[in-house]
Amino acid sequence: ANAARIVILDNVYFAFGQETIKPQSFPVLKAVAGLLHANPNIKKVRIEGHTDDKGGPKRNKTLSQKRADAVRNFLVQEGIGTERLEPVGFGKERPIAEGNNKAAASANRRVEFVITE
């Protein structure tokens, strides 16, 4: 069965090649925190970090993990319990857009929130 996702209207943006969350993404993450506060029945959310296909797999895996961790840390600062958050970096293993262009790369660089429990 497909796990339910928390649909976010905008991507989470990071500084290039880093795990620093850009301030423009704070409202999106605050909205996710608000949703989690309002729905204590959501016990566990997997924060999935995904990268585009530029760069080596090992580096992308590490970067996506650090970005997922950064999102978790942000949500924890917003008062969400760490036990509800599971950050996982998938690197470039799970692209959602095909093609070697900017649009595909942009779509594949993303953070997804999957409700697992």
Side-chain angles (χ1 to χ4, degrees):
N2 258 357
R5 291 175 188 275
I6 295 174
V7 177
I8 54 175
L9 298 177
D10 195 5
N11 213 332
V12 178
Y13 296 97
F14 297 90
F16 181 75
Q18 297 173 10
E19 66 268 24
T20 311
I21 300 166
K22 287 189 170 179
Q24 76 194 85
S25 293
F26 293 173
V28 172
L29 294 177
K30 284 178 190 282
V32 171
L35 186 86
L36 290 174
H37 278 302
N39 295 279
N41 55 312
I42 298 175
K43 298 270 188 285
K44 180 87 74 174
V45 173
R46 189 168 62 231
I47 303 165
E48 299 188 351
H50 301 273
T51 64
D52 59 30
D53 62 358
K54 291 169 187 46
K58 190 161 185 255
R59 190 181 171 285
N60 275 332
K61 189 101 168 172
T62 304
L63 180 61
S64 63
Q65 183 66 53
K66 284 183 175 171
R67 286 178 167 180
D69 290 344
V71 170
R72 178 204 43 205
N73 295 345
F74 186 97
L75 294 174
V76 167
Q77 283 173 342
E78 292 293 312
I80 305 300
T82 49
E83 73 286 347
R84 295 175 75 189
L85 305 168
E86 180 199 1
V88 182
F90 286 102
K92 55 185 178 181
E93 291 163 20
R94 296 188 179 184
I96 50 171
E98 290 297 318
N100 190 3
N101 54 51
K102 268 192 155 150
S106 175
N108 290 330
R109 269 197 309 275
R110 69 200 189 278
V111 172
E112 292 185 6
F113 298 91
V114 180
I115 300 164
T116 55
E117 206 180 300

